[in-house]
Structures are given as structure tokens and as C-alpha cells.
Amino acid sequence: MGLAAIKDSSNIQLTDNGQLRHFLSIEGLPKALLTEILDTADSFISMEQQSVKKVPLLRGKTVVNLFFESSTRTRTTFELAAKRLSADVLNLNISTSATSKGETLLDTLKNLEAMASDMFVVRHSQSGAAHFIAEKVTPNIAIINAGDGRHAHPTQAMLDTLTVRRHKGDFKQLSVAIVGDILHSRVARSLIQAFTTLGVPDLRLIAPNTLLPVNVDALGLRVFNRMADGLKDVDVVIMLRLQYERMQTALLPSQHEFYQLYGLTRDKLKYAKPDAIVMHPGPINRGVEISSDVADGKQSVILDQVSNGIAVRMAVMSMTMGGQMTQQSDSLKRLGDEP
Ligand code: NCD
């Protein structure tokens, strides 16, 4: 799929006055809105230091986690985030649900709508699934994309940019390298959009040509095939998993060779700045894309990413719910104004 294959979802994501009402993709969202997500998430992190970690922002609301693809971190942190906002949370187990008996996605959704749900958190193997659902379900239900095929993973991009901002401060001075299976990575696609919008001046991609999108030049980023060149003096190194489940043909000679050339080891990390941080969205494959001593080393912020995921998801859930409520009261007002 080309990098621009899915249409801009900015309109459907925003209310008439520019508030977030769905969160489907980073594409088309203005810098001010991304910054508002980061600032709101920061305020939720401060809340985590308190003895009572709950706020009533989503009290009385029902959030349904609809994960059609496997997940550990994303699903559990969405659940925790919803609970910390005082929502009621339903986790639909797709493998034991009626979807496995042949019920269509739309029929499943219509039934969940009939239970007066307020928010669907959706992960699906098809690119565009969250967007499709946002177009088909009642407009009052907020849809949050928790990863669709290789298209987008916007909350991951926001928790990654939050982690970078908390460790490195402003984005304006930073050199950031994204390394590995960029071709199949929804994380990379959303991250590129987020870092570009937030103003990172030096964003680099490092991968063999077989793991780069064909139209990579159109992105206007610096692209490298060698770690020694691409990692030189960077502040942030983001490693990606080799996503075999999305590879139709063999794109690599062997895992061993990939590790030799692109695996992040202590030696290769020396090309980066001495205080560079190392990130990975997980699940990590030790000895495939990263060595254990780097993954567990003092420059690694991989577990911070997980903690920051809760705060970012709380921010996105509370902001979309706020947007939904404004949109509904505006629509009611408009109805009242009609002669
Ligand atoms: C990522 C995903 O699912 O896209 N993981 C995650 O959400 N933590 C990356 C991956 O699976 O490699």
C-alpha cells in the first residue's frame, strides 16, 4: 500500500470547531492539537503520583475494547486508562465472540451500539478499519484507532512523542532515527507524521531497501542503509520489530544477517550521541532487532513508553469524549434554531 493510499481523515476526526471527536490517524491534525494531547497527558502523569489515581471524566460512559488482532500493551493500557477515567470497560474477546461464528463486523458493531456504548477502541488487521467504523456507526460513538493493518497507530505515536519530549525537551533541536521494518510499520507511519508536525528538523529512516516503502523519497526525509551513517549523533533511536506477519515474500536473507547489519548493539549505539535514548514500541525480539544489554541498559526508555501510554490514552479518551459532547449539544442547538 502506498503511503498516501488512505484518504485524509482529518474532517471526520474533528468537530465543526476543531475539537477531537475520533482519533483515527495523525494525518491532518494540526500541531496545536498534538501539543494539547501531550500537555493533557502530562497532567495525567502528575495525577499518577497521587494516592487515588482516578478522575471522574468518563463516569457513566461505556468504553468497548474491540481487538481483532493480538495485543498486550495497547489493550491493557487502554483498559487501565479508561478505568482511571472512571468509565465502565467491556473487553470483547473476538476469538470467543460471534465474529468467529461468521457475524459481520457491522452486525457486531450494531449490537454494541444497541447497548448504548460511548466509545470503541479498535484494533484490526485491515488498514482503514477504524475509519470505516467511524463512518458507519452512530456519530455519537467516539472511535479510537488502536492500530489498523500497516496504516496507522496514532496513540503509539503520541506516547512515543510524549516520551521523547519528557526526556529531551523541545522537538526543535532534535535528530531522531527510526530503524528497521519501516515498510510494514503502522507505528513508523504515524510517528513520521507526528514528528514532522511537531517540528523535528532531522528525522532519519534507516533500513535495507527491501524494508522501505517504494515512495519513501516523497517523504522528504533522510534515508540511510547503514547504521554507522544514519545513527551518527542522533538524540533518539527508535527500533521497530520485524513484522513477519505482514510480509508476503521473504524480504531478508536471514534474521542473523539483519541483526548483524541493523540490530542495535552497544557498539552500534556508540554512533549516536552519548545521551541518546533508545525506544521500541514492543514486543521486542531480543537478538533480532535489539540486544538485551541495550534493551535493558541505561539509555533504554522502553518501559517509560509503556507507562506514558496510559496517560496518552487517558488524554485522547477524555478529549474525544469532550468533542463528542460539544458536537451533540451544537447539533441540538441547531435543531432548536430551525424554524
Ligand atoms: C506495535 C503494533 O502493534 O503495531 N506494537 C504495539 O502496539 N505496542 C508494533 C509491533 O507490533 O511491532
Side-chain angles (χ1 to χ4, degrees), residues 254-315:
S254 71
Q255 274 189 6
H256 177 72
E257 190 172 331
F258 180 82
Y259 185 64
Q260 294 300 314
L261 296 173
Y262 297 98
L264 190 64
T265 54
R266 229 188 299 193
D267 276 346
K268 293 199 199 89
L269 185 54
K270 286 187 188 134
Y271 299 123
K273 287 201 184 134
D275 64 347
I277 54 170
V278 173
M279 300 171 54
H280 192 306
I284 59 172
N285 288 307
R286 292 166 186 262
V288 178
E289 64 260 352
I290 191 163
S291 67
S292 272
D293 54 356
V294 172
D296 304 328
K298 64 178 189 335
Q299 286 169 262
S300 167
V301 297
I302 294 172
L303 293 178
D304 283 7
Q305 290 173 262
V306 179
S307 319
N308 292 339
I310 303 171
V312 156
R313 290 171 176 136
M314 288 173 78

Side-chain angles (χ1 to χ4, degrees), residues 73 156 160 187 238-241 279-284 305:
R73 274 152 295 270
Q156 181 72 41
D160 288 345
V187 176
I238 302 179
M239 302 305 297
L240 299 171
R241 185 175 63 86
M279 300 171 54
H280 192 306
I284 59 172
Q305 290 173 262

